[in-house]
Amino acid sequence: MKEAMLYRKLEGGVVECGLCNHRCQIKPDKFGICRVRFNRNGTLYTLVYGKIIAQHVDPIEKKPLFHFLPGSRSLSIGTVGCNFQCDFCQNFEISQYPKIEGRVVGEDTSAEAVVQAALTTRSQSISYTYNEPTVFFEFAYDCAKLAVKHGLKNVFVSNGYMTTEALDTIYPHLHAANIDLKAFREEFYRKHCKARLAPVLETLKHLKKQGVWLEVTTLIIPGENDDPEELREIAQFIRDELGAETPWHVTRFYPRFQLLTRPATPVETLRMAYKIGKEAGLKYVYTGNVPGEDGEKTFCWNCGELLIDRYGFGIMSFRLTDEGTCPKCGAKIDGVWE
Ligand code: SF4
């Protein structure tokens, strides 16, 4: 066990965790909501420091990040645990493990070993993903700091529930993030995730202000968040608060975990969301989890020229100039290209 970062001691041995917006007040011998942070004798400990449950070399497109070092490898790691309890979680075996099994598992590793693995596999970045990086913040932080020293970038794939203290702590070492904006209704967050929408919107705005390269993902669930008006509100929020240059990924839901009564998202719904995003003025909208769709390609926002042809997570052709512009009309294509 390692002592946690970002918490404060209250009276009676109670501690308040400041990592995510649940701000759990945890009594002695109790866990936080994520079940991976534990109060022992008035000190908060993380139980997942260096306890990796998954480590793979993924294409960066899998995060998904389509405008950040395209075609590069990203060493991707995760632990068990999550601060959300989404009933539709597509990765619940890992994220909900501590709640389901009542314990923490993972292979012991170190920040040095993770960074070395990234270098050995010629990855350009380390992605903190598979589960919510906030709940293994201390380990991610140590890896990220060391990674930067070795010329690597760091990527968070997150539900966006981090506090501003946590964001400000990781920010000097963070280069890109894909944040879920799961819906635009408080009710959805309460009912399906046991969380709130408002802090997620704040996180998105804060990351944008910090200058972290940001992409947003919405998993579209039939009958839950596929109302065109709600999708329009998401697109308008991205345009007005994050900038029209922020890529929006609208991805296909498959029935998983506890939400088995909803069908997989029809391709037509994803195409509708794509259209709504473009009509709202977003420059880059992508459909996800349906390989072969035009919606996974990058077109010039100005002249419509095909610039990056993808199939799934693979890049079939890449036609941006070295300056990151469209070769046909010269428009600047937003992103981190090298
Ligand atoms: S990280 Fe865990 S313990 Fe900390 S506030 Fe969030 S849910 Fe609670």
Side-chain angles (χ1 to χ4, degrees), residues 59-96:
I60 194 76
E61 283 75 14
K62 197 173 175 183
K63 302 303 112 194
L65 284 177
F66 279 11
H67 289 235
F68 183 79
L69 304 176
S72 68
R73 298 173 186 179
S74 188
L75 185 86
S76 304
I77 62 168
T79 68
V80 295
C82 190
N83 51 352
F84 278 20
Q85 301 171 59
C86 302
D87 55 7
F88 53 89
C89 183
Q90 308 281 297
N91 219 6
F92 72 94
E93 295 95 339
I94 289 177
S95 70
Q96 302 303 315

Side-chain angles (χ1 to χ4, degrees), residues 121-151:
T121 55
R122 287 181 284 123
S123 298
Q124 287 187 42
S125 62
I126 299 178
S127 289
Y128 308 89
T129 178
Y130 302 132
N131 70 324
E132 172 53 41
T134 312
V135 307
F136 65 98
F137 188 85
E138 291 80 2
F139 188 61
Y141 179 75
D142 284 353
C143 290
K145 260 195 325 188
L146 192 61
V148 167
K149 285 188 187 152
H150 288 270

Side-chain angles (χ1 to χ4, degrees), residues 17 19-20 22-24 26 32-34 37 83 134-135:
C17 177
L19 267 192
C20 90
H22 286 308
R23 295 196 185 274
C24 297
I26 311 169
I33 289 172
C34 57
R37 304 173 79 73
N83 51 352
T134 312
V135 307

